[in-house]
Amino acid sequence: MPVATPISACDDDLAAVRYDANGLVPAIVQDGDSGDVLMMAWMNEATLRRTLESGRTVFWSRSRQEEWAKGDTSGDRQWVRRAYYDCDGDTLLLVVEQEGRGACHTGERTCFSRRFGGD
Amino acid sequence: MPVATPISACDDDLAAVRYDANGLVPAIVQDGDSGDVLMMAWMNEATLRRTLESGRTVFWSRSRQEEWAKGDTSGDRQWVRRAYYDCDGDTLLLVVEQEGRGACHTGERTCFSRRFGGD
């Protein structure tokens, strides 16, 4: 059973994040074990704070217009081990421990399983 | 000297990519050697096609409203080894061989060098 590890981010770090016109920032999720990029989803300021404080990824669903804590339904929770923001402050990177089958609703471990030009 | 490896994507793959209201799709760039996520930038349909055909990352600059082939100025080119799109078709993942110092204009190898909660 993975353990939540809350991250105490300082105000300067949180203030450096730049949200788009909809108040959202893209968040890349990477598997801390394999290094695979698992998925990309969106956060607003509230879900970023919830992610850091709870130690689990929480996103904003643009289609449903609501918060979703990844894995609440599927059990495929993501436990945050490290969290970064980029040089422009407009993209996040969460390095996680992926619980369960994987990140993708299709059942694949990563959402990036379709390759241009085939295998 | 890295070698360009063009990718012959089939029409079905290209048609599966979904662009936002501005005709753009986020493109995550990952270092094929280290597995590090290097940066995230945006592509439109034309720069995605140029990326696959040239074997180098080409993006759309939202601030300058123009195409930019990564590394034309800095020399820090990115040679595409594999290219993926996600389950929703609305995010791309490019696995590259990073030439030069790295991906970030600050001189860091990755744009994600600032960590919440410090080191």
Side-chain angles (χ1 to χ4, degrees), chain B residues 78-98:
Chain B
Q78 294 171 334
W79 303 88
V80 180
R81 295 299 170 238
R82 300 186 298 280
Y84 302 86
Y85 57 100
D86 77 346
C87 53
D88 295 323
D90 63 2
T91 307
L92 308 177
L93 172 65
L94 292 306
V95 179
V96 306
E97 182 176 348
Q98 174 69 58

Side-chain angles (χ1 to χ4, degrees), chain A residues 7-10 13-14 16-17 20 26 28 30 35-37 39-40 42 48 52 62 81-93 104-106 110-119, chain B residues 7-10 13-14 16-17 20 26 28 30 35-37 39-40 42 48 52 62 81-93 104-106 110-119:
Chain A
I7 293 172
S8 298
C10 67
D13 285 332
L14 287 167
V17 178
D20 69 11
I28 301 163
Q30 183 177 30
D36 288 346
V37 176
M39 58 179 285
M40 198 280 276
W42 297 81
L48 171 57
L52 297 174
R62 297 178 301 171
R81 295 299 172 238
R82 299 186 300 281
Y84 301 86
Y85 57 100
D86 77 346
C87 53
D88 295 322
D90 63 3
T91 307
L92 308 177
L93 172 65
C104 191
H105 71 284
T106 62
T110 167
C111 294
F112 295 96
S113 50
R114 295 189 292 179
R115 184 171 168 185
F116 291 103
D119 300 320
Chain B
I7 293 172
S8 298
C10 67
D13 286 331
L14 288 168
V17 178
D20 69 12
I28 301 164
Q30 183 178 31
D36 288 346
V37 176
M39 59 181 282
M40 197 279 275
W42 297 81
L48 171 57
L52 297 174
R62 297 177 302 168
R81 295 299 170 238
R82 300 186 298 280
Y84 302 86
Y85 57 100
D86 77 346
C87 53
D88 295 323
D90 63 2
T91 307
L92 308 177
L93 172 65
C104 191
H105 71 284
T106 63
T110 167
C111 293
F112 296 96
S113 50
R114 295 189 292 178
R115 182 170 169 186
F116 291 103
D119 300 321

Side-chain angles (χ1 to χ4, degrees), chain A residues 13-15 17-28 40-53 56-69 89-92 94, chain B residues 116:
Chain A
D13 285 332
L14 287 167
V17 178
R18 286 166 41 186
Y19 300 89
D20 69 11
N22 297 312
L24 301 175
V25 60
I28 301 163
M40 198 280 276
W42 297 81
M43 293 185 182
N44 59 17
E45 186 173 353
T47 59
L48 171 57
R49 286 181 183 271
R50 277 193 63 198
T51 294
L52 297 174
E53 289 164 6
R56 278 183 55 197
T57 55
V58 183
F59 301 104
W60 178 258
S61 168
R62 297 178 301 171
S63 55
R64 297 193 307 274
Q65 289 286 302
E66 65 181 18
E67 290 191 10
W68 58 288
D90 63 3
T91 307
L92 308 177
L94 291 308
Chain B
F116 291 103

Side-chain angles (χ1 to χ4, degrees), chain B residues 39-50:
Chain B
M39 59 181 282
M40 197 279 275
W42 297 81
M43 293 184 182
N44 58 18
E45 187 174 352
T47 59
L48 171 57
R49 286 181 182 271
R50 276 194 62 198

Side-chain angles (χ1 to χ4, degrees), chain B residues 56-76:
Chain B
R56 279 181 56 198
T57 56
V58 183
F59 302 103
W60 179 258
S61 169
R62 297 177 302 168
S63 55
R64 297 193 307 274
Q65 289 286 303
E66 64 180 20
E67 290 190 11
W68 58 288
K70 174 72 178 168
D72 267 0
T73 305
S74 64
D76 301 337

Side-chain angles (χ1 to χ4, degrees), chain B residues 8-27:
Chain B
S8 298
C10 67
D11 289 342
D12 283 355
D13 286 331
L14 288 168
V17 178
R18 286 166 39 187
Y19 300 89
D20 69 12
N22 296 311
L24 300 176
V25 62

